[in-house]
Amino acid sequence: MTPTDAQVIALLNQMSQGDQKAAQQLYRHFAPVIRSFLLRSGANESLVEEAVQETMLSLWKHPDRFQLNLGASFKTWLLTIAQRRLSDILKKQNKTVPLDESKRAGDSDENSAGSDGTDDGQDPGEGPPDGYARLRQQEKRNLLDECMNKLKGTHRQMLSMAYEHEMSGKEIADSMDIPEGTVKSALHYAKALMRKCLELRFQGEMR
Amino acid sequence: MSQENHTPKRNGWLEDDIADLMRHETAQFDPDQGLDRFMAAVAAHPKSQPIPSLWQRINNRLSMIGLTPALASLVIVFQFAVLVVMSTSEQTGQPATEFRGYSATSEAVPDLKLRVNPDADFAGLASLLNANGCRIVAGPSQQGEIWISVEDKRRIGEVKAILLQSKLIDDVSVKR
């Protein structure tokens, strides 16, 4: 279970006193979260692992840098740090297209939707495709996962921040250094693509 | 979790299922993956004790001798006050001693009071007094006064006259 911010603060205080067990505890809680989040960008696993290690080590070295009064949760703050670490690593390696081979296999957002990446006006809040609700959870996950892999890495990360980690639009915007309006339209667009993909896949399954 | 006003809308089946998928995937990651490497890095970067500030160092030193900062401040203020009082009393009191020396008193009654020349050689003065059967019974005072008794009381007037002639002595007066 993810620790609360108060528990995190206590662990950070212990860590600042040199408590390695506290560092281990924080790692076991947050390294998987960071790893999962960064892998959604499409970066390959070794670079992501590097970023995870650097992020957690910087936390060990400077546990005092996290300030609750900044208004962000610890997880939001940590994901932002991790995202920047990964960007730095990619820049060092001149990796402008950090996509894994497996991710490249899928179509890009543009190929799937034929859009320029802005809000296409479709309402992704409409009901699910016919029969979708009757699927078992694992079947739904498989379908969603297929569609998720068609999205751009940044869109997957935005969806993760918005729905997995329940970050606000402003937090996502700050984390990714983009305007909040862009976040909103990108989320709307990504969901529209997901819905469209699901409809196509689901129809295919039914045939 | 802090939520802004513009929290992305999450009231539909798609958002819920996306969240479910992503959380499910994240939960699949081994929490110990990379842990050995991380703990090795942690061990390689042990926490150094932060360098204490000047104030912290002063505090530490004071606590070693059982003083709190407030008490130490009080001691310093007290010592400063004592110094001020001492320097003030020196300035308002008697001028600096003109004649320095051991001031002794005797039970013998003095016969004569001498006012010694400030430039007098004390050894010469002692010889002069000794030669005339005189004994110092008190003094010298800060004004250079010495009280002497004359062994032969019949010679007091004679001894006074002899001493008055000496350059070592400015004045002689009879005490009786």
Side-chain angles (χ1 to χ4, degrees):
Chain A
M1 188 171 178
T2 306
T4 63
D5 276 351
Q7 289 169 323
V8 168
I9 298 264
L11 287 170
L12 289 175
N13 284 336
Q14 287 172 258
M15 218 163 68
S16 65
Q17 303 295 318
D19 186 344
Q20 296 190 7
K21 283 186 179 173
Q24 184 177 358
Q25 219 173 323
L26 279 171
Y27 181 94
R28 296 188 86 252
H29 278 300
F30 290 105
V33 175
I34 298 172
R35 190 171 289 115
S36 166
F37 172 70
L38 294 182
L39 281 172
R40 296 195 196 290
S41 72
N44 71 48
E45 285 191 22
S46 64
L47 296 180
V48 166
E49 190 56 35
E50 207 60 35
V52 171
Q53 293 289 331
E54 283 191 17
T55 303
M56 294 307 295
L57 189 59
S58 77
L59 188 64
W60 163 255
K61 287 179 181 172
H62 310 288
D64 52 318
R65 287 194 181 160
F66 171 63
Q67 299 290 332
L68 257 188
N69 56 15
L70 293 179
S73 77
F74 177 74
K75 194 159 66 174
T76 299
W77 177 78
L78 198 61
L79 290 181
T80 303
I81 301 286
Q83 180 65 36
R84 287 176 187 164
R85 291 275 168 180
L86 180 61
S87 297
D88 291 343
I89 291 169
L90 292 170
K91 275 180 199 164
K92 276 183 197 167
Q93 302 205 357
N94 292 323
K95 298 254 182 187
T96 50
V97 185
L99 287 179
D100 234 356
E101 291 301 321
S102 60
K103 305 293 180 191
R104 276 192 210 121
D107 295 332
S108 68
D109 289 1
E110 285 76 8
N111 291 341
S112 295
S115 167
D116 61 357
T118 55
D119 189 350
D120 61 2
Q122 292 178 8
D123 183 8
E126 291 172 6
D130 288 342
Y132 176 85
R134 289 193 298 272
L135 291 178
R136 285 178 299 178
Q137 192 169 36
Q138 192 53 51
E139 290 171 328
K140 287 182 187 174
R141 283 176 184 160
N142 292 341
L143 269 178
L144 281 166
D145 193 40
E146 279 181 42
C147 293
M148 193 72 76
N149 285 332
K150 302 279 183 192
L151 299 180
K152 278 182 180 175
T154 50
H155 284 165
R156 281 194 296 271
Q157 286 193 301
M158 277 188 202
L159 290 173
S160 166
M161 285 190 270
Y163 304 119
E164 181 184 7
H165 301 299
E166 298 179 337
M167 287 165 61
S168 70
K170 185 177 184 311
E171 285 173 330
I172 297 170
D174 290 346
S175 178
M176 301 188 91
D177 280 332
I178 54 175
E180 195 175 343
T182 306
V183 172
K184 286 165 71 178
S185 61
L187 281 172
H188 188 81
Y189 174 65
K191 285 190 289 181
L193 288 176
M194 286 290 290
R195 181 176 162 75
K196 188 174 179 181
C197 171
L198 281 174
E199 281 172 352
L200 288 172
R201 298 278 163 175
F202 197 73
Q203 285 165 11
E205 294 278 325
M206 296 302 286
R207 280 183 200 130
Chain B
M1 174 71 63
S2 76
Q3 292 287 322
E4 303 293 328
N5 292 332
H6 304 293
T7 303
K9 189 170 68 175
R10 194 194 154 190
N11 52 8
W13 61 273
L14 185 57
E15 292 89 343
D16 286 345
D17 285 355
I18 288 172
D20 168 72
L21 169 70
M22 289 184 157
R23 285 175 186 154
H24 176 75
E25 287 177 347
T26 298
Q28 302 305 307
F29 285 94
D30 179 5
D32 290 340
Q33 184 183 335
L35 180 61
D36 290 345
R37 182 181 165 191
F38 172 64
M39 293 314 291
V42 163
H45 295 85
K47 292 277 176 192
S48 55
Q49 290 299 319
I51 299 168
S53 65
L54 178 63
W55 177 243
Q56 286 172 322
R57 277 182 282 167
I58 290 172
N59 257 345
N60 291 342
R61 290 290 171 92
L62 290 174
S63 62
M64 283 169 68
I65 57 172
L67 284 178
T68 62
L71 190 56
S73 304
L74 200 64
V75 169
I76 290 169
V77 168
F78 177 74
Q79 287 180 334
F80 183 72
V82 168
L83 285 174
V84 168
V85 168
M86 285 175 68
S87 66
T88 310
S89 70
E90 276 182 10
Q91 285 169 4
T92 57
Q94 297 287 342
T97 46
E98 296 169 20
F99 298 88
R100 291 172 184 272
Y102 176 69
S103 177
T105 55
S106 166
E107 289 181 359
V109 179
D111 300 311
L112 297 172
K113 182 175 83 172
L114 315 181
R115 189 155 53 80
V116 181
N117 187 314
D119 296 326
D121 166 26
F122 192 77
L125 180 65
S127 299
L128 174 66
L129 295 175
N130 196 36
N132 288 285
C134 302
R135 188 159 59 97
I136 297 174
V137 295
S141 70
Q142 285 191 344
Q143 283 72 42
E145 296 161 328
I146 290 176
W147 289 262
I148 61 172
S149 71
V150 180
E151 283 180 9
D152 186 352
K153 304 300 180 191
R154 292 170 300 180
R155 290 187 63 235
I156 289 176
E158 183 191 345
V159 169
K160 178 186 173 186
I162 293 169
L163 294 178
L164 275 172
Q165 287 175 3
S166 170
K167 290 180 181 175
L168 299 175
I169 296 167
D170 289 342
D171 190 28
V172 180
S173 57
V174 179
K175 286 294 289 178
R176 292 186 181 169

